[in-house]
Amino acid sequence: MKKVILTGDRPTGNLHIGHYFGSLKQRVEMQYDYETYIIIADMQALTDNADNPEKVRKHVRELAIDYLSVGIDPKYSHIFIQSMIPELAILTVLFSNLVTVSRLFRNPTTKAEVSTKKEIFGNDGESITYGFLGYPVSQAADLTAFDCEVCPVGEDQVPHIEQTREIVRKFNHIYGETLKEPEAILSKTPRIKGLDGNEKMGKSLGNAIFLNDSDEVISKKIMGAVTDTNKIRKDDPANPEVCMVYYYHKLLKNDNLEVVCTECKTGKRGCVACKKELILKMQDFLKPIREKRAYYEAHLEEVDAILKEGTNVSRAKAEEVMNRVRNHMGLDYFESH
Ligand code: SF4
């Protein structure tokens, strides 16, 4: 029996190379060894996009296309839409009785989001919604509904997994052994930095190279990437370790990396030439992904069929777990005991 893994994303924008190196690559590698469920978390996306459902709807299919383009294979991975599985909503309600409001407020990831998004949550968090605060409870439902045992996450998601584990322990303590406690495994690659040197490449931070960027866009973005600001003239020696262009040369495992480093340090390399070399590497790297994307964009009926099938398989699994939950909680009213 393969262990079950659950991963996914919120459909709020296209995926970028930060997602690729931070999680997608690992998902593709793991899908052959684990029973893989991939959630398109549209209900979670609505927690801070309730006034813009069209944005969420549009990106559901876009996200599925990104997945298929990088090599997520529907033969091995069940890609499903969260809102199409009502069991997740029922479990969220049942779990909400097992967690206190103060515990949810103490979640460090929630706190960090509230403090960085004051335009949404207000200066003192006065605009936090019940849905946003309950996000980790909904995530607990997503993880347990498929008997997930392993959850590959970034460091910022670890507190959410810990919250799930607490809920599971409490549930099992009260109602008897019912749910599996998932274990977080940290992504092998930490956060990917943005073109501007920001510690995080973000969908909405204007510092990302998206998987569907055209050659022209890639070229423009890399030409604007942050380099060593002390290097003024072409033959000035510089420090590659503070340069984002060098950072991406490393990320793409450029065979020429030692030469790039030495030439940069000794002033034998100009930044324009260095960026042009990276542009070609990045375009080559993204080419097969974009070609696959073009195929799926021309065959949307295939994408929809994959999503339907993935959702049907996932729903059947969630029903099985829900039946167990009902049974152990005594909510299976018309079943004969
Ligand atoms: Fe960065 Fe290359 Fe310029 Fe060195 S030569 S600072 S590695 S862009």
Side-chain angles (χ1 to χ4, degrees), residues 132-166:
F132 174 78
L133 190 64
Y135 186 117
V137 183
S138 148
Q139 203 171 24
D142 300 337
L143 287 162
T144 51
F146 305 99
D147 282 334
C148 170
E149 292 161 280
V150 179
C151 187
V153 285
E155 222 159 311
D156 58 338
Q157 289 294 304
V158 172
H160 288 346
I161 308 299
E162 194 43 48
Q163 177 70 84
T164 296
R165 290 165 64 86
E166 281 176 35

Short mmCIF file of all heavy atoms in Angstrom, two decimals, residues 132-166:
data_model
loop_
_atom_site.label_atom_id
_atom_site.label_comp_id
_atom_site.label_asym_id
_atom_site.label_seq_id
_atom_site.Cartn_x
_atom_site.Cartn_y
_atom_site.Cartn_z
N PHE A 132 -11.28 33.32 7.19
CA PHE A 132 -9.82 33.42 7.15
C PHE A 132 -9.21 32.80 8.40
O PHE A 132 -8.25 32.03 8.33
CB PHE A 132 -9.38 34.88 7.02
CG PHE A 132 -7.89 35.04 7.12
CD1 PHE A 132 -7.07 34.74 6.05
CD2 PHE A 132 -7.31 35.44 8.32
CE1 PHE A 132 -5.68 34.83 6.17
CE2 PHE A 132 -5.92 35.54 8.44
CZ PHE A 132 -5.11 35.24 7.36
N LEU A 133 -9.78 33.13 9.54
CA LEU A 133 -9.26 32.61 10.81
C LEU A 133 -9.35 31.08 10.84
O LEU A 133 -8.48 30.39 11.37
CB LEU A 133 -10.05 33.22 11.97
CG LEU A 133 -9.47 32.97 13.36
CD1 LEU A 133 -8.11 33.64 13.50
CD2 LEU A 133 -10.42 33.49 14.43
N GLY A 134 -10.40 30.57 10.21
CA GLY A 134 -10.63 29.12 10.22
C GLY A 134 -9.89 28.37 9.13
O GLY A 134 -10.03 27.15 9.01
N TYR A 135 -9.09 29.07 8.35
CA TYR A 135 -8.34 28.44 7.25
C TYR A 135 -7.59 27.17 7.70
O TYR A 135 -7.71 26.12 7.05
CB TYR A 135 -7.38 29.52 6.75
CG TYR A 135 -6.54 29.27 5.54
CD1 TYR A 135 -6.70 30.04 4.39
CD2 TYR A 135 -5.54 28.29 5.53
CE1 TYR A 135 -5.89 29.84 3.28
CE2 TYR A 135 -4.74 28.09 4.43
CZ TYR A 135 -4.91 28.86 3.31
OH TYR A 135 -4.12 28.66 2.21
N PRO A 136 -6.89 27.19 8.84
CA PRO A 136 -6.20 25.95 9.23
C PRO A 136 -7.16 24.80 9.59
O PRO A 136 -6.79 23.63 9.48
CB PRO A 136 -5.40 26.35 10.49
CG PRO A 136 -5.31 27.84 10.44
CD PRO A 136 -6.57 28.30 9.75
N VAL A 137 -8.38 25.15 9.98
CA VAL A 137 -9.37 24.10 10.29
C VAL A 137 -9.82 23.45 8.98
O VAL A 137 -9.94 22.22 8.86
CB VAL A 137 -10.57 24.68 11.06
CG1 VAL A 137 -11.55 23.57 11.44
CG2 VAL A 137 -10.10 25.43 12.30
N SER A 138 -10.03 24.30 7.99
CA SER A 138 -10.42 23.79 6.68
C SER A 138 -9.28 22.93 6.10
O SER A 138 -9.52 21.89 5.48
CB SER A 138 -10.77 24.98 5.79
OG SER A 138 -10.48 24.77 4.48
N GLN A 139 -8.05 23.36 6.36
CA GLN A 139 -6.92 22.57 5.87
C GLN A 139 -6.85 21.20 6.59
O GLN A 139 -6.49 20.20 5.97
CB GLN A 139 -5.62 23.34 6.11
CG GLN A 139 -4.52 22.90 5.20
CD GLN A 139 -3.29 23.80 5.28
OE1 GLN A 139 -3.07 24.47 6.28
NE2 GLN A 139 -2.52 23.82 4.24
N ALA A 140 -7.23 21.19 7.85
CA ALA A 140 -7.27 19.92 8.59
C ALA A 140 -8.27 18.97 7.94
O ALA A 140 -8.04 17.77 7.82
CB ALA A 140 -7.63 20.18 10.05
N ALA A 141 -9.39 19.54 7.49
CA ALA A 141 -10.40 18.72 6.81
C ALA A 141 -9.83 18.17 5.50
O ALA A 141 -10.00 16.98 5.18
CB ALA A 141 -11.65 19.55 6.54
N ASP A 142 -9.15 19.03 4.75
CA ASP A 142 -8.57 18.58 3.47
C ASP A 142 -7.60 17.42 3.68
O ASP A 142 -7.60 16.45 2.94
CB ASP A 142 -7.79 19.72 2.80
CG ASP A 142 -8.64 20.93 2.50
OD1 ASP A 142 -9.87 20.76 2.39
OD2 ASP A 142 -8.08 22.03 2.40
N LEU A 143 -6.78 17.55 4.71
CA LEU A 143 -5.74 16.53 4.92
C LEU A 143 -6.32 15.22 5.43
O LEU A 143 -5.93 14.13 4.97
CB LEU A 143 -4.70 17.05 5.93
CG LEU A 143 -3.77 18.13 5.37
CD1 LEU A 143 -3.08 18.89 6.50
CD2 LEU A 143 -2.72 17.50 4.46
N THR A 144 -7.27 15.31 6.33
CA THR A 144 -7.78 14.07 6.93
C THR A 144 -8.77 13.35 6.03
O THR A 144 -8.92 12.13 6.13
CB THR A 144 -8.45 14.36 8.29
OG1 THR A 144 -9.40 15.41 8.11
CG2 THR A 144 -7.44 14.77 9.33
N ALA A 145 -9.45 14.09 5.15
CA ALA A 145 -10.49 13.48 4.31
C ALA A 145 -9.95 12.44 3.35
O ALA A 145 -10.70 11.65 2.79
CB ALA A 145 -11.23 14.56 3.53
N PHE A 146 -8.63 12.45 3.14
CA PHE A 146 -8.06 11.48 2.20
C PHE A 146 -7.10 10.53 2.91
O PHE A 146 -6.29 9.87 2.27
CB PHE A 146 -7.35 12.24 1.05
CG PHE A 146 -8.29 13.21 0.39
CD1 PHE A 146 -8.26 14.56 0.73
CD2 PHE A 146 -9.26 12.77 -0.49
CE1 PHE A 146 -9.16 15.45 0.18
CE2 PHE A 146 -10.17 13.64 -1.04
CZ PHE A 146 -10.13 14.99 -0.71
N ASP A 147 -7.17 10.52 4.26
CA ASP A 147 -6.25 9.70 5.05
C ASP A 147 -4.80 10.05 4.74
O ASP A 147 -3.93 9.16 4.66
CB ASP A 147 -6.47 8.20 4.80
CG ASP A 147 -7.69 7.67 5.56
OD1 ASP A 147 -8.05 8.27 6.60
OD2 ASP A 147 -8.28 6.68 5.10
N CYS A 148 -4.57 11.34 4.54
CA CYS A 148 -3.22 11.79 4.18
C CYS A 148 -2.24 11.50 5.32
O CYS A 148 -2.52 11.78 6.48
CB CYS A 148 -3.28 13.29 3.90
SG CYS A 148 -1.68 14.03 3.74
N GLU A 149 -1.10 10.92 4.95
CA GLU A 149 -0.07 10.63 5.95
C GLU A 149 1.14 11.53 5.82
O GLU A 149 1.90 11.72 6.75
CB GLU A 149 0.39 9.17 5.79
CG GLU A 149 -0.70 8.19 6.17
CD GLU A 149 -0.42 6.82 5.60
OE1 GLU A 149 -0.68 6.61 4.40
OE2 GLU A 149 0.08 5.97 6.34
N VAL A 150 1.33 12.06 4.61
CA VAL A 150 2.50 12.88 4.36
C VAL A 150 2.08 14.15 3.63
O VAL A 150 1.28 14.11 2.71
CB VAL A 150 3.51 12.11 3.45
CG1 VAL A 150 4.73 12.96 3.17
CG2 VAL A 150 3.92 10.81 4.10
N CYS A 151 2.61 15.29 4.08
CA CYS A 151 2.25 16.54 3.44
C CYS A 151 3.51 17.37 3.21
O CYS A 151 4.08 17.91 4.16
CB CYS A 151 1.26 17.29 4.34
SG CYS A 151 0.61 18.74 3.55
N PRO A 152 3.97 17.45 1.95
CA PRO A 152 5.16 18.25 1.69
C PRO A 152 4.79 19.73 1.70
O PRO A 152 3.89 20.16 0.97
CB PRO A 152 5.59 17.82 0.28
CG PRO A 152 4.48 17.03 -0.29
CD PRO A 152 3.43 16.83 0.73
N VAL A 153 5.49 20.49 2.54
CA VAL A 153 5.13 21.91 2.69
C VAL A 153 6.37 22.78 2.82
O VAL A 153 7.45 22.30 3.11
CB VAL A 153 4.27 22.15 3.95
CG1 VAL A 153 2.86 21.68 3.78
CG2 VAL A 153 4.92 21.53 5.18
N GLY A 154 6.14 24.08 2.66
CA GLY A 154 7.18 25.05 2.97
C GLY A 154 7.13 25.31 4.47
O GLY A 154 6.14 24.96 5.13
N GLU A 155 8.18 25.94 4.98
CA GLU A 155 8.28 26.15 6.43
C GLU A 155 7.08 26.91 7.00
O GLU A 155 6.62 26.63 8.11
CB GLU A 155 9.57 26.90 6.74
CG GLU A 155 10.27 26.34 7.93
CD GLU A 155 11.74 26.72 7.95
OE1 GLU A 155 12.42 26.55 6.91
OE2 GLU A 155 12.16 27.20 8.97
N ASP A 156 6.55 27.86 6.22
CA ASP A 156 5.44 28.69 6.72
C ASP A 156 4.15 27.89 6.92
O ASP A 156 3.24 28.34 7.61
CB ASP A 156 5.20 29.89 5.79
CG ASP A 156 4.89 29.46 4.37
OD1 ASP A 156 5.26 28.34 3.99
OD2 ASP A 156 4.26 30.25 3.63
N GLN A 157 4.09 26.70 6.32
CA GLN A 157 2.86 25.90 6.45
C GLN A 157 2.93 24.90 7.62
O GLN A 157 1.93 24.27 7.96
CB GLN A 157 2.59 25.13 5.15
CG GLN A 157 2.14 26.00 3.99
CD GLN A 157 0.78 26.63 4.26
OE1 GLN A 157 -0.20 25.93 4.52
NE2 GLN A 157 0.71 27.96 4.22
N VAL A 158 4.11 24.77 8.20
CA VAL A 158 4.27 23.78 9.28
C VAL A 158 3.29 24.03 10.45
O VAL A 158 2.68 23.08 10.96
CB VAL A 158 5.74 23.72 9.77
CG1 VAL A 158 5.88 22.85 11.00
CG2 VAL A 158 6.62 23.17 8.64
N PRO A 159 3.07 25.29 10.88
CA PRO A 159 2.10 25.50 11.97
C PRO A 159 0.69 25.01 11.62
O PRO A 159 -0.05 24.54 12.50
CB PRO A 159 2.09 27.03 12.15
CG PRO A 159 3.39 27.49 11.61
CD PRO A 159 3.72 26.56 10.49
N HIS A 160 0.32 25.10 10.34
CA HIS A 160 -1.00 24.60 9.93
C HIS A 160 -1.08 23.08 10.07
O HIS A 160 -2.10 22.53 10.49
CB HIS A 160 -1.30 24.99 8.48
CG HIS A 160 -1.60 26.45 8.28
ND1 HIS A 160 -1.87 27.29 9.32
CD2 HIS A 160 -1.67 27.19 7.17
CE1 HIS A 160 -2.09 28.51 8.85
NE2 HIS A 160 -1.98 28.47 7.55
N ILE A 161 0.01 22.42 9.72
CA ILE A 161 0.00 20.95 9.83
C ILE A 161 -0.05 20.55 11.31
O ILE A 161 -0.74 19.60 11.69
CB ILE A 161 1.27 20.32 9.16
CG1 ILE A 161 1.43 20.82 7.73
CG2 ILE A 161 1.19 18.79 9.20
CD1 ILE A 161 0.31 20.52 6.78
N GLU A 162 0.66 21.32 12.14
CA GLU A 162 0.64 21.04 13.58
C GLU A 162 -0.79 21.21 14.11
O GLU A 162 -1.26 20.44 14.94
CB GLU A 162 1.62 21.98 14.31
CG GLU A 162 1.94 21.56 15.72
CD GLU A 162 2.19 20.06 15.90
OE1 GLU A 162 2.96 19.47 15.13
OE2 GLU A 162 1.57 19.46 16.82
N GLN A 163 -1.49 22.23 13.59
CA GLN A 163 -2.89 22.45 13.99
C GLN A 163 -3.74 21.22 13.60
O GLN A 163 -4.57 20.75 14.37
CB GLN A 163 -3.41 23.71 13.29
CG GLN A 163 -4.86 24.03 13.56
CD GLN A 163 -5.10 24.50 14.98
OE1 GLN A 163 -4.94 25.65 15.28
NE2 GLN A 163 -5.51 23.58 15.84
N THR A 164 -3.50 20.71 12.40
CA THR A 164 -4.23 19.51 11.97
C THR A 164 -3.96 18.35 12.91
O THR A 164 -4.87 17.63 13.34
CB THR A 164 -3.79 19.09 10.53
OG1 THR A 164 -4.17 20.12 9.64
CG2 THR A 164 -4.43 17.78 10.10
N ARG A 165 -2.69 18.18 13.26
CA ARG A 165 -2.33 17.05 14.13
C ARG A 165 -3.02 17.16 15.49
O ARG A 165 -3.50 16.17 16.04
CB ARG A 165 -0.80 16.98 14.29
CG ARG A 165 -0.11 16.55 13.00
CD ARG A 165 1.39 16.82 13.02
NE ARG A 165 2.08 16.06 14.02
CZ ARG A 165 2.54 14.82 13.84
NH1 ARG A 165 2.34 14.21 12.69
NH2 ARG A 165 3.16 14.18 14.81
N GLU A 166 -3.11 18.38 16.00
CA GLU A 166 -3.81 18.59 17.28
C GLU A 166 -5.29 18.23 17.16
O GLU A 166 -5.87 17.57 18.03
CB GLU A 166 -3.71 20.07 17.69
CG GLU A 166 -2.37 20.45 18.30
CD GLU A 166 -2.29 21.94 18.59
OE1 GLU A 166 -3.33 22.55 18.96
OE2 GLU A 166 -1.19 22.49 18.42
#
